[in-house]
Amino acid sequence: MINMLDLPLTQDGDTMKSQPTRLLTATTVGVALLGGAACDRDTSSRDGALVRDSLGIEIVENAAGLETAPRCSLTPEPLVSLGSVDGPDVTQFFTVWRIKRLHDGGIAVVNRGTNELRIFDVDGSHRLSIGRTGEGPNEYLRLWDVFQRLDDSLVLWDYRQHYLSLVSTTGELGRTMRLSPPFVNQPTLLGLTPENGVLLWQRDFRPSERGFDPVTLHLIRYDANGQLTDTLGQYPYGTSGIISEEMGFAAGALFEPRSRLAAGRDVYAVATAAEREVWIHDYTGRPIRIVRWTGGDRDVTDDDVAAFFDGRIAEATDDQGRRIYRELRAKQPIAEQFPTVTHLTFDDTDRLWVFGYQRPRDESAPPVLIFGNDGRLVCSVKLPDSGFVDAVGADWVLAMEQDEDDVEYVRMYGLLAPTD
């Protein structure tokens, strides 16, 4: 059995050789690309952004980027802090997996360790908990995500059982839906469509003995009843190949770009991560805008490669883990350049947040870029390095953080506009 080694881009278990083979991955968006400048019209420029129209698609070229964007900031202290070492059980978190802000300002926390959705008021008081481990009504084998519909009901996604549960904000189970037809591989729920359907993506990889083959990401829409509607797009997701038949795993090229997706209220976004650009689509699949920005050097050096593997080997907790990374270091191809994007998300006003790649030698991740609804760069913001940010708003950020004892906390910070 060959297992696909597919760690997050910030923790890639991709492979390499002692004298590494450099691999330049060329990728294209799964729609017709734009033609030359002769197709452009209505060119205008303001606020440091060049805007033009090409074949009905608006192109926003931002002159600013990570180095020159106005700087937003977070409040020095959190506005809300949830979590404790020895407090009530509902405040002790174990594997916080998702955090969402509800329409009424409440904070919903997917606590995967107990397969519960815990809901807190904005003052930090516990409102209620939904779900538990099991296979019965309102029980979950792997509670993975939660979204809120326009009618305020909650959609909970069980990753292991491939079904959606519709639950009220007071905890009553309405109904469950299994996707039809089901997926062959595990899908990831991206968000809800304006009609309360669901948007999911799934990777299609088939490692072969021929080498490193392209992996395709399929973006698929189901309706509110869990029935397949259509496929909105197919996008590149790097490569896969057998690294070790003896150890039984496959992986892609180290640092290669992989497409990233995000679902907003009225639009969704796609970035192949091969260029500094994001394509914005409406929910019919039609591209309506391309957002671009500037940045610095992306070239992968031997020092970057050494820093990556030295760090992973040092962090390995057993001989098997160290052996895997040594095998990867010996056999894995390496991309010529780092990806431009590792994560995309929309805030509650449909502004696009673009998370950049953290180089192995960097102590912290780069600032996140925030783009307005018109595609113009608003600002960049440095987020906490002690955890992850999962939900963002016009003036707030929700983060999971860990202290030196690995105790988990959910914290909400205020987002402050740039100051002169």
Side-chain angles (χ1 to χ4, degrees), residues 107-401:
I107 299 172
V109 180
V110 174
N111 190 66
R112 210 183 79 187
T114 57
N115 284 306
E116 286 180 295
L117 178 69
R118 300 178 184 175
I119 300 179
F120 299 83
D121 290 323
V122 73
D123 64 0
S125 59
H126 177 251
R127 185 187 303 178
L128 79 158
S129 295
I130 300 171
R132 61 183 179 182
T133 301
E135 299 183 58
N138 234 351
E139 294 180 341
Y140 306 91
L141 291 181
R142 184 167 290 182
L143 184 58
W144 198 261
D145 214 335
V146 59
F147 294 91
Q148 189 168 26
R149 303 197 329 177
L150 295 178
D151 63 6
D152 285 344
S153 58
L154 303 174
V155 177
L156 279 64
W157 170 240
D158 189 319
Y159 181 81
R160 180 71 60 80
Q161 300 186 83
H162 286 202
Y163 72 65
L164 303 163
S165 295
L166 194 63
V167 181
S168 73
T169 53
T170 55
E172 289 82 15
L173 176 64
R175 59 192 175 109
T176 60
M177 298 167 288
R178 290 192 182 275
L179 300 176
S180 180
F183 284 86
V184 176
N185 298 317
Q186 294 283 7
T188 296
L189 181 61
L190 190 65
L192 304 181
T193 67
E195 299 80 22
N196 289 326
V198 292
L199 203 62
L200 304 101
W201 62 265
Q202 180 192 44
R203 289 162 297 175
D204 179 21
F205 49 83
R206 301 180 178 88
S208 73
E209 297 179 358
R210 296 194 305 265
F212 287 82
D213 297 326
V215 179
T216 302
L217 184 153
H218 301 267
L219 180 61
I220 304 171
R221 184 171 62 184
Y222 282 72
D223 65 20
N225 296 312
Q227 299 296 310
L228 177 64
T229 301
D230 56 24
T231 297
L232 293 177
Q234 298 179 12
Y235 305 99
Y237 197 80
T239 58
S240 71
I242 297 174
I243 300 298
S244 172
E245 292 189 8
E246 175 191 359
M247 300 181 69
F249 65 83
L254 185 65
F255 307 135
E256 66 184 359
R258 298 173 180 176
S259 292
R260 301 293 161 179
L261 310 175
R265 291 177 304 182
D266 300 312
V267 295
Y268 65 89
V270 180
T272 66
E275 306 292 342
R276 291 188 176 97
E277 66 179 26
V278 177
W279 289 58
I280 309 297
H281 301 71
D282 64 23
Y283 276 100
T284 68
R286 180 178 66 91
I288 58 176
R289 181 178 298 115
I290 303 173
V291 179
R292 293 174 177 153
W293 63 95
T294 62
D297 176 52
R298 293 172 49 210
D299 291 344
V300 175
T301 68
D302 292 338
D303 288 341
D304 291 315
V305 175
F308 175 86
F309 282 111
D310 288 346
R312 295 301 182 271
I313 292 172
E315 293 169 0
T317 58
D318 53 33
D319 289 340
Q320 176 73 356
R322 287 184 283 273
R323 184 185 173 197
I324 287 175
Y325 279 111
R326 291 191 181 101
E327 186 86 359
L328 293 170
R329 189 168 193 163
K331 296 182 178 179
Q332 186 174 16
I334 307 170
E336 294 280 359
Q337 292 188 312
F338 288 106
T340 60
V341 176
T342 58
H343 182 59
L344 299 174
T345 192
F346 286 97
D347 64 23
D348 57 359
T349 63
D350 256 7
R351 295 187 307 181
L352 177 67
W353 293 50
V354 177
F355 293 64
Y357 192 90
Q358 180 179 341
R359 298 177 75 127
R361 291 177 291 164
D362 293 344
E363 295 183 358
S364 62
V368 175
L369 298 178
I370 305 175
F371 296 89
N373 304 84
D374 58 0
R376 289 178 167 84
L377 183 58
V378 176
C379 66
S380 66
V381 60
K382 186 69 177 67
L383 299 179
D385 286 317
S386 56
F388 68 86
V389 167
D390 195 45
V392 292
D395 58 1
W396 55 268
V397 166
L398 274 174
M400 191 286 286
E401 297 185 85

